[in-house]
Amino acid sequence: MSAANQKIMVNQNHMDLISAEFDKCANYVGEIITETKNMKNIMAANYKGRATAGLNDYFTVLNNHLDVLKICYEQLADYTIMVRDVTFSVDKALEIFYNKGGAIK
């Protein structure tokens, strides 16, 4: 295959679907965060003393990790769209380059 016929060939719809799945994951994690906060409030209302301190520590660490996980999914969604756009731009630039008679020596 000649260099003029080679393309990166990004499937933009597929990349959009991948990004949407990452967004869904971020939303699910957001729901988990809300539910763990609700659980913490329910449990805190029923336990006092040393158990409360341990419970607070547990939920603080859990929610910190969940926050990071949610951010990761949000960034993966954004990164997927960025890769889609950059790859599509490079593909178009290569197409224009070769249509104008360009060649790599």
Side-chain angles (χ1 to χ4, degrees), residues 47-99:
Y47 297 103
K48 301 293 178 211
R50 291 183 185 174
T52 303
L55 185 66
N56 285 335
D57 290 345
Y58 168 77
F59 279 109
T60 298
V61 171
L62 177 61
N63 283 325
N64 287 343
H65 288 297
L66 289 170
D67 286 339
V68 170
L69 181 61
K70 185 174 186 278
I71 290 167
C72 288
Y73 280 125
E74 290 166 345
Q75 289 178 346
L76 282 168
D78 293 342
Y79 181 76
T80 302
I81 295 302
M82 182 198 71
V83 168
R84 178 204 65 190
D85 293 345
V86 168
T87 307
F88 183 75
S89 296
V90 169
D91 208 25
K92 283 293 177 192
L94 286 172
E95 184 179 357
I96 291 167
F97 175 75
Y98 286 119
N99 285 341

Side-chain angles (χ1 to χ4, degrees), residues 14-35:
H14 184 78
M15 298 293 277
D16 289 338
L17 292 173
I18 293 169
S19 178
E21 290 299 316
F22 285 134
D23 281 332
K24 272 200 256 183
C25 291
N27 289 332
Y28 292 147
V29 174
E31 291 173 15
I32 293 168
I33 290 169
T34 300
E35 290 304 315

